[in-house]
Structure formats: structure tokens, C-alpha cells
Amino acid sequence: MEIKVYNSLTRQKELFEPIQKNKIGLYTCGPTVYDYPHIGNLLAYTIWDVMKRFLLSQGYKVTHVMNVTDVGHLTSDADDGEDKLEKAGRSSGKSAWEIAEYFSRVFMNNMHNLNILPPTKMIRATDSIKDQIEFVKILEEKGYLYKTSDGMYFDTSKIEDYGKLANLANVDQQEGARVEKNLEKKNPTDFAVWKFSPEDRARDMEWESPWGIGFPGWHLECSVMSRNELGDTFDIHTGGIDHLTVHHPNEMAQSEAVTGKQQANYWMHNEHVKFEGGKMSKSAGTFVRLEDLKEKGYSPMSFRYLVLQNHYRKSLNFSWESLDAAQSRLTNIIKEIAWYDKPKGKCKDLCEEFNQAMADDINTAKALAVLQKVIESDNPSSAKMRCILKMDEVLGLDLENLKNKALELSGEIDIILKKRKEVREKKDWSESDRLRDKLVALGVDVQDTPKGQRAIQVKF
Ligand code: AMP
Ligand code: ZN
């Protein structure tokens, strides 16, 4: 099947052509683990998970690599300010190592809750320091670096088309307009590849290097890991749209400086989740976590459904009402499929329509509409079930498991159902209605069919 994706590099939808026939190298910029992931971050990983699942469903073998930024992400993109991990450690009385360990675990847990397939390889920045130092040595040998009082910097003027990804030549990138100017930098877009530790104190995380004790610049880890695991040029590089102007141009510049080749052929970016009018962000401190959703009684799968209703290149205005609507939709799907027969046969054309939607730049909203079409179609329920399960391998809504859970009823509910059966046989309709109300209050759906009553309880 022909797959088209929007490539930020060419600013258009393109036919996807992998370097090798059946294999795909995919790199996703991972989380900075100094705080809880917010649902904006989790949207990013959900989207790339759906894309990966689709590629897998089309027979590709996908090698998926992701970093975990546990050092070197400064509070400012302009290489000023504190390391976010050190800062979080200082304010909570923990070491940067403890902070990173704790929030990495939270992140993994959130991924699991959202049914996101684990990457083939996840690598912590602190586990690749040696390779990062080797990479910086090459940059130095090739003459791309200069030294300032606080670190080794990459001279972006040495790259002819620096910033091609974001068309930075046309974007106001004047550093002084945003933050205090670093007067030692030769160009506003230059960035640190190695930062020196302060002279008056030891950092929690610091390493010896040919340039002095310090720590790597944030962009370095992605260049190094992607090259080590996927080669000089790989297929797809993904991240949030905020990476378009700083992180990805810098990653791309240093990778191409070292290898002389294009780092990735397709660069894909998800738009942001917005909340209360602004971008949801950890540093602004106003964000919603997956744990907040769960505490309010929402399922991570309802959030996944909400994400899929939106196209990844459109921002998603998060509201509790929209999540509520998504949870209702998902509940209705489970109620519909609860009584379907075992999967068998085929739904004519609909699987094809689903794949076409996904192949059109991951149009998940359209794909969900096709899922609904399957439910509403007059195909036998066994064929519908087979088709839905096939689609769910891509959507990842965990429908089979949710259906099975809905059909499992507790002993207490079984007793009420038995009693209701008895009173119905005695035609005691008012008692039957009273028991139905009792079941409804417990979240149970009861239907009276010619074969008797049947019940489900949708549980998330
Ligand atoms: P971070 O942990 O801040 O490095 O972000 C992890 C991922 O989430 C990156 O790919 C970011 O581009 C992405 N991201 C950050 N904020 C948002 C947001 N509000 N909506 C969607 N994606 C985001
Ligand atoms: Zn990255």
C-alpha cells in the first residue's frame, strides 16, 4: 500500500519510501525526566505509537529507538540557566539521579497504561556519555567547535543550510529578542555540545572530558544514539512541534557535520495539546497528568481515544468535557461489541478503507470513523469482530480486553441477576424494574432479549 506522510523537511505530504524494502528505522525524541509527563507529552508518544503499529501492520519490521533525557536539558533553550534535573533535585532535596530514576519509572508506567508499545531500544543519556564525548571529538577535529567560558559551542555558520527544517532564515531567531544574549556566542543560533561544571561546586552529574569536567548539551544524545542504533541516515525522526526550531535543527546540524549525510529522510512533528488557552508545558507548571485523569475516573484508553479523534498536525484543545465525550464513545463501542460472535470472516472493503485512512498521513480521525462504519454495517457480527480486532492492532484501544472485562460480572451482580430472572418468571414486573434500577446504579447494563436477560458492566 502507498503510504503518504507529511515531511517537515520538504513541507509537504510525500510518498513514504524506506531505505530498505521491509525495514524501517524510527527515532523518537524521548522525555525529559525531571517532572511528571503531562498529557501533551503523552499525546506525542501515543501518536508515534499508532504510526508504528500501522507500519507493523503493513509488514514492516520497525526498529524504534528513543532516548531518555536524564541530564543536560537546561531551563532555557539558549543554553543558559540550570540543568532541569539538578534544579528539580535541589528544590526537593533529592539527587538528580533519584529524580531521573523516579520520573523515568512514572513515564514507563504511563506508556504501559496507554498501551504504547515499548520502543525496541530506550537509552538514557547518562548511559551514552562515552559515545557522546567521542562524537564531540569528531566535531572538534572537523573544526565545528569553539570554546567559551561556559562550554564548547557548535558554530552554526559553518553549516550552509542550518535551520532548513524550520526555514529558520525566515523565522525571527534573534536570540536577544527572547532571552539575555550570550555575548560569547559567535551566532545567536550556536549551541553548547559540552557544558563546563561550575568552578565552585560539584554537580550531581558530571563527567571528565578532554575539555574539562562537565556534562553534554541536550541535543547531542539524539545524534549519537540514532547514529549508533540506526546508522548515519535512517527513515523517520519524530517529535513535538516545539522541536522544529531548536532541538531538531541542532541535532541535524551536528549529525550532518559528523557524517556528511542527511540524518533522517522524513521528519514528522505532532502539534501541541493546549489547555486553558495556552500550550500545556511542564516548565509553565500548569499541566494535567495521566494520574489526574485516573483520579477523576477516566480511563487512559479514553484519553487515547480523544487523541485519535484529532489529527496529529492539528492542536488539541483539551477540556474535561471533550474527555467525557471520548469516554462515552468508547463505552458505547464496548457495549456494541460485547455480544459479537467470535471473530471469523471478513468485512468487505472496510479494512481497506481503514488502511487508506491511516496511509493518508496517519488520519486517525478518519480511521475511527471507519471503525464506527464497521459497527453500523450489516455484516455478520463475527466478521465485524474480526475486522475491529484487526483495526485495533493499529489503534491500540485494547478493545478485546475491555470487552472481556465488561463481560466479567461480580458475584454480587450475579445474585441480583438471578433474583431478577426469578421475579420475571413470576411476572413481577415492578420488582424486576426495581432490580434493574439497582443494577443500573452499579453501572450494569441489562437487556431483556428473547433468550432472557443479559448484562455487561463496562469497567476501565
Ligand atoms: P519533554 O519531556 O519536554 O522533552 O517532551 C517530550 C515530548 O513531548 C517531546 O516530543 C515534545 O515535543 C512533546 N511535547 C511537549 N509539550 C507538548 C504539548 N503541549 N503537546 C504535545 N506534545 C508536547
Ligand atoms: Zn531529540
Side-chain angles (χ1 to χ4, degrees), residues 31-32 38 40-41 45 240 242-243 270-273 279-280 282:
T32 313
H38 57 62
N41 305 133
Y45 300 108
D242 49 313
H243 289 341
N270 63 276
E271 262 296 342
H272 281 150
V273 170
K279 177 200 160 195
M280 189 173 280
K282 287 186 222 178

Side-chain angles (χ1 to χ4, degrees), residues 328-390:
S328 299
R329 278 292 324 126
L330 188 58
T331 305
N332 287 340
I333 292 175
I334 299 161
K335 284 182 186 170
E336 284 290 341
I337 66 174
W339 308 111
Y340 283 5
D341 290 331
K342 284 209 179 80
K344 203 176 136 200
K346 269 187 186 166
C347 283
K348 213 171 150 248
D349 302 336
L350 289 172
C351 270
E352 178 63 18
E353 198 177 328
F354 177 90
N355 286 335
Q356 293 287 0
M358 288 300 298
D360 181 14
D361 195 24
I362 334 285
N363 194 336
T364 51
K366 209 166 168 192
L368 279 184
V370 183
L371 180 84
Q372 188 57 29
K373 256 191 186 178
V374 173
I375 291 174
E376 287 165 15
S377 73
D378 50 16
N379 285 292
S381 77
S382 55
K384 292 201 224 186
M385 196 64 213
R386 181 163 182 269
C387 197
I388 287 168
L389 292 183
K390 211 90 217 104

Side-chain angles (χ1 to χ4, degrees), residues 263-280:
Q263 188 192 0
N265 287 338
Y266 300 86
W267 291 74
M268 298 178 71
H269 295 93
N270 63 276
E271 262 296 342
H272 281 150
V273 170
K274 296 201 169 140
F275 184 49
E276 294 172 347
K279 177 200 160 195
M280 189 173 280

Side-chain angles (χ1 to χ4, degrees), residues 105-289:
R105 243 182 293 127
V106 173
F107 178 74
M108 296 306 290
N109 218 352
N110 283 181
M111 294 246 293
H112 179 73
N113 284 168
L114 282 165
N115 203 19
I116 293 172
L117 299 173
T120 319
K121 239 185 179 171
M122 259 183 111
I123 309 166
R124 285 185 292 212
T126 52
D127 283 340
S128 79
I129 300 292
K130 213 169 131 253
D131 290 342
Q132 293 187 55
I133 290 174
E134 289 307 313
F135 195 92
V136 178
K137 277 191 199 162
I138 304 174
L139 288 174
E140 188 178 36
E141 276 158 26
K142 291 195 164 190
Y144 285 97
L145 303 186
Y146 62 91
K147 188 174 177 176
T148 75
S149 58
D150 66 13
M152 299 301 294
Y153 278 76
F154 185 98
D155 184 347
T156 51
S157 68
K158 299 224 155 141
I159 297 270
E160 203 181 310
D161 50 2
Y162 172 81
K164 60 190 168 195
L165 189 61
N167 211 2
L168 286 184
N170 298 326
V171 173
D172 181 17
Q173 261 285 302
Q174 291 307 301
E175 185 193 7
R178 271 193 305 134
V179 289
E180 212 176 301
K181 222 172 183 147
N182 178 345
L183 293 172
E184 291 182 75
K185 282 211 273 182
K186 291 186 184 168
N187 310 286
T189 47
D190 292 355
F191 57 91
V193 289
W194 190 262
K195 289 276 285 186
F196 305 139
S197 288
E199 280 175 9
D200 54 347
R201 69 171 181 89
R203 286 170 41 93
D204 282 350
M205 293 176 167
E206 57 183 13
W207 294 266
E208 296 274 0
S209 83
W211 313 279
I213 295 180
F215 59 100
W218 162 43
H219 318 297
L220 201 57
E221 62 197 66
C222 295
S223 289
V224 171
M225 292 175 198
S226 64
R227 183 172 182 232
N228 280 357
E229 303 298 329
L230 302 170
D232 288 351
T233 303
F234 54 92
D235 296 298
I236 310 174
H237 194 310
T238 67
I241 196 81
D242 49 313
H243 289 341
L244 193 68
T245 47
V246 180
H247 179 52
H248 286 172
N250 293 351
E251 220 192 288
M252 191 183 255
Q254 60 198 4
S255 285
E256 295 184 12
V258 163
T259 67
K261 296 177 197 156
Q262 180 162 294
Q263 188 192 0
N265 287 338
Y266 300 86
W267 291 74
M268 298 178 71
H269 295 93
N270 63 276
E271 262 296 342
H272 281 150
V273 170
K274 296 201 169 140
F275 184 49
E276 294 172 347
K279 177 200 160 195
M280 189 173 280
S281 94
K282 287 186 222 178
S283 47
T286 50
F287 61 82
V288 179
R289 307 165 312 159

Side-chain angles (χ1 to χ4, degrees), residues 10-34:
T10 55
R11 287 172 206 89
Q12 59 189 5
K13 238 194 248 184
E14 282 177 17
L15 184 66
F16 173 65
E17 288 176 292
I19 299 165
Q20 293 184 56
K21 200 164 167 271
N22 296 315
K23 286 187 184 164
I24 292 173
L26 168 65
Y27 189 88
T28 298
C29 287
T32 313
V33 284
Y34 70 101

